[in-house]
Amino acid sequence: MPTNDELRWFDNIYAVDIDGNQNAIVRNLATSSNATTDFQDTSDSQSDNLDLLGDTQNDQFKDAANSNAILYYYRKLSDDSGVIVSSGSSGQGPYYLYTNNNYNSNTILSTSSAAYNLVCYVAGTRIRTRRGDVAVEDLKVGDLAKTSSGAERPIHWIGHRTVRCQGRPDHLPVRIAAHAFGEGRPDRDLLVSPAHAIAVDVLGEVLIPAGRLINGTTITQAETEQVTYWHVELASHDILLAEGLPAESYLDCGNRHFFTNAEATDLRAVPDARPDGPHPFCRPFHEAGPLVDLVRARLQDRAEALGWRKVEETFGELHLVADGHVIRPDVEGLTARFVLPADARDVRLVSATGVPAHLLTGSTDDRRLGLPLAALTIDDGLTGARNVPLDDARIGEGFHPVEGGTRWTDGSATLPADLWADCRGTLFLRVSLSGPGLPRWIAPGETARATDLTKLERTA
């Protein structure tokens, strides 16, 4: 699987012009087809979400499949089928369109900065009907679906389409663990798309997208290469029972042509975006705010009741992987010391990770964080100790930006060999933290590893 900062692969790259109405006009094919482009966010600021293109002004990215070319986000196509980038900052051209679609020269394409979401059930999900709980792919138009109110309503339409998840966190299904909302809700793990709304009773039923409820315990994102999403539509929006959990039916937001079994299929269409404006939701719809916070708190209380627990570990299972060998440190206070050969070349600083939004009340920081580094020192005892500045240009992969004298890792940070290029024999790598790592969740029945790293044997 790609790492969480690999945003998407695109097959085609077109040179485009931008007209006065912000339309993109295709000029010519910039590279051959099947370019296998790989966008990676280089992180411009603390608020830069590495899972999003264009969430910060003049958001800067790398095209890792094309010699690490530096690009700047400009806009995207209105139907979410492509991203327009600039080779210059502040919206300066030339402009290029990255897409998996094929276009002729002089094609005019509208652009937008609207959000892109999915709302579907995953294949295999059982929907309650008069004839029992039936896998969504086995449903038929005319089947009587049972709603949360106890009514039986005929299925009006069923849509489906398989999408690739590589590099697209917004495509990855959300896994709701069995009994996450209460006994039998759901009665087994339920997978839905991130924007699929779950009905929750908070002084009356409300709808909240599953992606807004991810907590790192009972509600997580499942890693998969591709997924088939299904929609079940009734005559009007309503609440179905999916694996026993109340969840919404399909609401047409002008995206029906996304599905492969629609009368006409538009492969560029948005699967389930909710454009601005009112929609005929059957329940009040909430994406954020105190009510969502309350539901998140209830879910976490429920997770702990199911056996999830937090553990606090200063070093979070910190170790080195050097040329395939695991090296454990000696530790004292907030400092860890590693001994490794000076000829080591492929070296990574590895630790457990946590997401602040899943662990700290009120946090909206959804970055995956490893350890907060305060200093790195290398010494072979012969050529003199050398301090590696936290903003050293040689370190970047696996590191978040420096924040107030601290630089967090993402749990697997690369240490390039040229940091100790002149060292001989054996060297000491000293890692000092600015504070303990984040606590982390331990699943029911899982045993946390020993936290006293001085008792762990070095294996290399």
Side-chain angles (χ1 to χ4, degrees):
M1 285 295 296
T3 58
N4 63 355
D5 64 341
E6 294 174 349
L7 300 180
R8 187 169 183 178
W9 286 268
F10 293 94
D11 292 333
N12 299 324
I13 309 174
Y14 292 89
V16 297
D17 294 320
I18 305 297
D19 68 15
N21 295 319
Q22 295 297 311
N23 293 317
I25 304 172
V26 177
R27 286 200 285 118
N28 57 0
L29 191 64
T31 68
S32 61
S33 296
N34 301 315
T36 318
T37 301
D38 176 7
F39 276 174
Q40 295 182 357
D41 197 329
T42 58
S43 188
D44 301 301
S45 67
Q46 181 177 352
S47 62
D48 190 359
N49 185 338
L50 300 186
D51 292 342
L52 296 176
L53 293 171
D55 61 310
T56 61
Q57 187 174 8
N58 299 325
D59 204 354
Q60 181 175 299
F61 297 85
K62 289 192 304 183
D63 177 356
N66 287 279
S67 302
N68 286 317
I70 299 299
L71 302 169
Y72 296 85
Y73 178 83
Y74 186 65
R75 293 175 73 85
K76 67 176 181 179
L77 298 187
S78 297
D79 61 11
D80 282 290
S81 63
V83 175
I84 299 171
V85 304
S86 170
S87 60
S89 61
S90 302
Q92 301 169 354
Y95 302 103
Y96 298 93
L97 168 63
Y98 289 74
T99 181
N100 290 317
N101 296 328
N102 296 304
Y103 297 111
N104 295 321
S105 296
N106 299 317
T107 300
I108 299 176
L109 304 166
S110 64
T111 69
S112 171
S113 58
Y116 174 66
N117 290 315
L118 285 167
V119 184
C120 312
Y121 292 107
V122 171
T125 300
R126 299 180 305 180
I127 305 297
R128 189 151 302 164
T129 71
R130 174 181 283 185
R131 57 190 177 101
D133 289 348
V134 180
V136 64
E137 61 268 31
D138 294 330
L139 292 173
K140 298 179 177 59
V141 171
D143 277 345
L144 293 176
K146 290 191 175 183
T147 67
S148 63
S149 65
E152 293 184 347
R153 301 187 60 190
I155 294 175
H156 179 71
W157 179 77
I158 301 170
H160 69 275
R161 182 170 169 190
T162 299
V163 294
R164 186 172 62 177
C165 296
Q166 289 181 323
R168 290 296 301 265
D170 55 337
H171 283 195
L172 287 175
V174 174
R175 182 188 301 278
I176 302 173
H179 317 300
F181 286 84
E183 191 64 29
R185 293 182 293 134
D187 53 23
R188 67 174 190 172
D189 287 5
L190 168 66
L191 284 89
V192 298
S193 56
H196 195 110
I198 305 302
V200 186
D201 191 352
V202 186
L203 299 177
E205 281 190 333
V206 297
L207 291 170
I208 301 175
R212 302 295 184 180
L213 300 176
I214 293 173
N215 58 11
T217 55
T218 54
I219 303 182
T220 57
Q221 278 194 291
E223 293 189 353
T224 183
E225 296 291 331
Q226 66 178 30
V227 62
T228 300
Y229 285 119
W230 292 75
H231 262 314
V232 178
E233 183 182 32
L234 309 180
S236 61
H237 197 229
D238 209 333
I239 305 301
L240 302 171
L241 293 173
E243 306 294 359
L245 184 69
E248 69 173 334
S249 66
Y250 173 59
L251 177 62
D252 189 356
C253 296
N255 60 332
R256 194 180 301 275
H257 288 172
F258 164 81
F259 298 96
T260 56
N261 59 323
E263 291 183 3
T265 301
D266 181 358
L267 296 181
R268 298 171 298 170
V270 179
D272 280 294
R274 302 196 195 272
D276 294 336
H279 294 288
F281 290 111
C282 63
R283 305 287 191 275
F285 182 82
H286 296 266
E287 286 196 90
L291 189 146
V292 175
D293 294 339
L294 173 61
V295 173
R296 289 178 61 87
R298 288 183 178 180
L299 284 167
Q300 210 55 72
D301 289 343
R302 174 66 180 170
E304 293 185 44
L306 291 171
W308 285 89
R309 58 192 177 90
K310 281 183 186 178
V311 296
E312 296 185 1
E313 299 173 329
T314 299
F315 290 96
E317 302 181 2
L318 175 66
H319 60 278
L320 282 183
V321 177
D323 296 329
H325 298 284
V326 174
I327 303 176
R328 307 284 181 185
D330 297 312
V331 299
E332 179 68 33
L334 292 175
T335 298
R337 184 192 66 181
F338 295 91
V339 181
L340 71 157
D343 61 357
R345 288 295 172 262
D346 181 11
V347 179
R348 289 180 294 116
L349 195 64
V350 180
S351 69
T353 62
V355 177
H358 301 166
L359 295 159
L360 308 176
T361 302
S363 175
T364 58
D365 185 350
D366 60 1
R367 295 177 300 166
R368 187 160 294 281
L369 302 179
L371 292 174
L373 305 190
L376 286 172
T377 304
I378 295 171
D379 188 356
D380 67 354
L382 295 171
T383 60
R386 60 197 73 183
N387 295 319
V388 180
L390 293 180
D391 60 355
D392 192 302
R394 292 172 293 179
I395 58 175
E397 183 179 350
F399 291 88
H400 292 286
V402 178
E403 306 171 41
T406 295
R407 190 163 194 183
W408 285 88
T409 71
D410 69 0
S412 183
T414 298
L415 298 175
D418 57 352
L419 294 175
W420 54 87
D422 298 327
C423 291
R424 289 180 285 170
T426 300
L427 62 88
F428 293 97
L429 169 67
R430 188 165 65 248
V431 178
S432 299
L433 307 184
S434 61
L438 290 174
R440 62 191 179 93
W441 288 106
I442 300 295
E446 180 183 344
T447 301
R449 293 183 55 180
T451 58
D452 184 357
L453 294 176
T454 61
K455 297 180 181 178
L456 297 177
E457 295 183 358
R458 247 189 329 267
T459 59

